[in-house]
Amino acid sequence: MLSREQFDSIEFDAAASGDHAAAARAMTELATTGTETVGMPRAEAFLRAGEQWLLADMPAEAVAGFRRAMTHGGPVFVDPRVPLARALFQLGRQSEAQALISRLKAEGPRDPRTCDLVAELLVDRGDLAAALDWATAGVELCLAAARQSGGSPGEDPELRLLLGLRYRIRNDLGLPEDEYDAMLDEA
């Protein structure tokens, strides 16, 4: 049976030991042979294994894991296309990676976490203007969700992360502070 606790334990051990390759192998084996559960869909198991392959600096294996997550579908904590794009960039497959990001953009930002991860990936790639667009879209999604729920935007930890990322990007671009930057003091 696949369980989050099992995968959390493997991740914790890998973080402590630094042996992400062993963690990735164990997670891949579990994702392949384990029984999917409501608490741990097979897609998420392959996604988490792929992340360990990335941490082990083995992007080709990560690509395989992320593609298997996409094939299985189902609920995952982040769109597998984002880490897949990261792995493809690491392999020098820029056009494939960029096509994934373009597809995500064409679909329109729907999830603040995805916006955050795409923005971070684009910062790593040096595409600050596109990263700023993604970070801003994530901020706007968080604010819209807070308005819709009647909650306070300051209660959303993802908003704080996006505001901080957006602020750093704007500083790197030499842009003046704006109303979203000012929200950092409030969030």
Side-chain angles (χ1 to χ4, degrees):
M1 300 290 277
L2 298 176
S3 74
R4 289 187 194 283
E5 294 77 18
Q6 190 176 36
F7 277 69
D8 290 348
S9 176
I10 294 169
E11 282 179 356
F12 181 80
D13 290 346
S17 71
D19 192 354
H20 295 285
R25 284 189 294 277
M27 287 181 171
T28 301
E29 178 67 22
L30 286 169
T32 303
T33 62
T35 302
E36 182 176 42
T37 63
V38 172
M40 186 63 166
R42 191 172 310 283
E44 184 168 337
F46 280 117
L47 179 63
R48 290 177 72 172
E51 289 180 332
Q52 289 300 310
W53 286 120
L54 275 180
L55 290 169
D57 198 26
M58 300 175 87
E61 288 82 356
V63 166
F66 298 136
R67 288 198 191 280
R68 289 181 80 177
M70 291 168 60
T71 299
H72 282 280
V76 290
F77 59 93
V78 68
D79 191 318
R81 293 177 291 181
V82 180
L84 175 57
R86 182 176 292 282
L88 290 169
F89 276 129
Q90 288 179 6
L91 289 169
R93 294 162 56 184
Q94 278 76 9
S95 61
E96 287 178 75
Q98 193 56 53
L100 288 170
I101 293 170
S102 296
R103 201 168 313 130
L104 286 165
K105 184 177 181 180
E107 291 171 7
R110 292 177 283 189
D111 174 58
R113 182 72 183 134
T114 299
C115 292
D116 180 26
L117 293 174
V118 172
E120 289 176 8
L121 173 58
L122 292 170
V123 166
D124 291 347
R125 303 287 310 150
D127 189 351
L128 296 182
L132 179 59
D133 290 343
W134 278 96
T136 300
V139 166
E140 290 169 352
L141 286 171
C142 289
L143 294 175
R147 281 191 300 275
Q148 188 174 25
S149 71
S152 167
E155 297 170 2
D156 185 350
E158 189 67 41
L159 175 61
R160 182 112 178 110
L161 288 172
L162 283 159
L163 286 170
L165 176 60
R166 187 178 178 282
Y167 179 78
R168 289 189 307 276
I169 295 167
R170 288 177 59 77
N171 274 341
D172 289 348
L173 289 170
L175 299 172
E177 187 173 306
D178 68 5
E179 68 277 2
Y180 289 155
D181 295 332
M183 289 178 66
L184 268 172
D185 295 331
E186 301 164 16

